[in-house]
Amino acid sequence: MDPTLDSKLISEPVETKKWKKREESSSYELVSYKELPEYMKDNEFILNYYRVNWPLKEAFFSLFRWHNETLNVWTHLLGFVLFLGLTLTNLIQVPQVSDLLALFTRSFPMSGDINVSLDSLDLFVRTTTNLTDLNPEPDVTTVTRWPFFVFLAGSMFCLLSSSICHLFSCHSQHLGLTLLRLDFTGITTMIITSFFPPIYYVFQCDPKWQFIYLGGITVLGLFTIVTMLSPALSTKKFRGFRALLFSSMALFGIIPGIHAAIVNCSNPRHDVAMAYELAMAMFYLTGTLFYVSRVPERFKPGWFDLAGQSHQIFHVLVVMGALAHYGASLVFLDWRHSHSC
């Protein structure tokens, strides 16, 4: 037998094993923009540190690795944890929840003295009230609070869905598209629910305007969600159109905003509420501009692959806008408590 042929027959399995081993070891490595499949090529100014076709387990643990989505995941994940904490803290102020905690404390005292436990619970409730209420003196728990919690729930859903999308969209094209739609749905839900506290509390004495404004933004939001569920409109080609839809929802608030400012003029803290709402609008508008323009990575491709890119800035501004609206909602709650119909 030809020794050359014999050596090839012997060496081929070894080389094949080496190639397979190298392929397996590199399957979870980060790749460049040029190596991406076409469906993942969204931002040509982010050049490196992409994850492609990662299993769900590896995608989950990439939460603790550096790649170009790390800060996109963490900015909204921390925002979700923050709003979850605010929600739980405000729930403690609801009489039914407070009574339930008191009952639980009575049943399972932490010490032999039940009164001590109840005193501790009362101290905790009063302390958290001071931390979350901009004006701790009034007892705002007597006000209908479901519109406030609707906003908090919408904000948490948006932030969590965004984090999940950025973390797991590297798994496959099908899952990536599904999570992208979930992300768009979360943004739309957050915009819709943001209208509930100011519209409900300012127009509490005039249910007709409550119905018109809240019904209008809900219908517009549902139309946006249905549109976003279209596979064609989820592609990068319609990035500007999606931003236009979100902006139109925000611009819808101009008319009820002006109307609410007139109705709310008797509120001694009217200026404070307006300052919060203007700050929210500026945060969201600025974030949208970063989202669409892709600044700063447009000017220095590759420099902002890991940190400082437009989408990360957009995420931070979204959280700041939500916090500004949270502050305004507390002002509306306090005002409605002292000015009932």
Side-chain angles (χ1 to χ4, degrees), residues 178-195:
T178 301
L179 293 178
L180 188 62
R181 294 172 186 170
L182 177 67
D183 190 14
F184 294 150
T185 301
I187 296 172
T188 307
T189 301
M190 184 176 185
I191 295 174
I192 295 172
T193 57
S194 294
F195 279 78

Side-chain angles (χ1 to χ4, degrees), residues 161-187:
S161 63
S162 173
S163 297
I164 292 174
C165 176
H166 284 284
L167 185 61
F168 292 107
S169 59
C170 65
H171 173 67
S172 64
Q173 182 176 7
H174 175 71
L175 182 61
L177 182 59
T178 301
L179 293 178
L180 188 62
R181 294 172 186 170
L182 177 67
D183 190 14
F184 294 150
T185 301
I187 296 172

Side-chain angles (χ1 to χ4, degrees), residues 11 31 41 47 50 68 83 103 125 132 145 149 164 170 175 189 201 203-204 214 225 282 302 307 318 328 333 340:
S11 62
V31 302
K41 292 184 176 180
L47 304 183
Y50 287 91
N68 57 25
F83 271 83
L103 178 63
V125 171
T132 57
R145 299 173 67 86
F149 287 110
I164 292 174
C170 65
L175 182 61
T189 301
Y201 294 123
F203 297 104
Q204 187 168 326
L214 292 181
I225 291 174
M282 289 304 299
V318 166
L333 272 170
S340 59

Side-chain angles (χ1 to χ4, degrees), residues 192-259:
I192 295 172
T193 57
S194 294
F195 279 78
F196 273 74
I199 297 299
Y200 184 88
Y201 294 123
V202 172
F203 297 104
Q204 187 168 326
C205 300
D206 197 343
K208 174 185 67 177
W209 291 112
Q210 282 182 336
F211 177 79
I212 292 174
Y213 291 141
L214 292 181
I217 188 60
T218 301
V219 170
L220 180 59
L222 291 176
F223 170 76
T224 302
I225 291 174
V226 171
T227 303
M228 292 299 176
L229 292 178
S230 168
L233 295 177
S234 299
T235 61
K236 64 179 182 180
K237 179 181 178 181
F238 292 94
R239 182 185 182 90
F241 176 71
R242 293 194 298 268
L244 180 62
L245 278 178
F246 294 139
S247 298
S248 66
M249 293 182 65
L251 292 174
F252 175 86
I254 292 178
I255 295 177
I258 295 174
H259 191 177

Side-chain angles (χ1 to χ4, degrees), residues 5-15:
L5 179 61
D6 186 52
S7 63
K8 285 182 178 180
L9 291 173
I10 296 174
S11 62
E12 272 185 351
V14 177
E15 290 178 357

Side-chain angles (χ1 to χ4, degrees), residues 63-101:
L63 183 67
F64 308 105
R65 284 187 59 179
W66 270 109
H67 46 81
N68 57 25
E69 293 280 20
T70 300
L71 291 183
N72 284 330
V73 175
W74 278 102
T75 46
H76 273 183
L77 184 59
L78 291 176
F80 166 77
V81 173
L82 173 61
F83 271 83
L84 178 62
L86 292 173
T87 301
L88 295 175
T89 303
N90 280 277
L91 275 173
I92 294 175
Q93 301 177 49
V94 177
Q96 293 84 349
V97 177
S98 181
D99 291 344
L100 180 62
L101 288 174

Side-chain angles (χ1 to χ4, degrees), residues 104-140:
F104 181 83
T105 307
R106 270 190 217 99
S107 302
F108 302 97
M110 296 180 64
S111 66
D113 188 355
I114 297 180
N115 291 328
V116 172
S117 298
L118 293 177
D119 291 342
S120 299
L121 174 65
D122 181 63
L123 176 62
F124 177 69
V125 171
R126 285 188 280 108
T127 302
T128 52
T129 300
N130 293 337
L131 288 175
T132 57
D133 196 347
L134 296 178
N135 185 5
E137 292 180 3
D139 180 13
V140 298

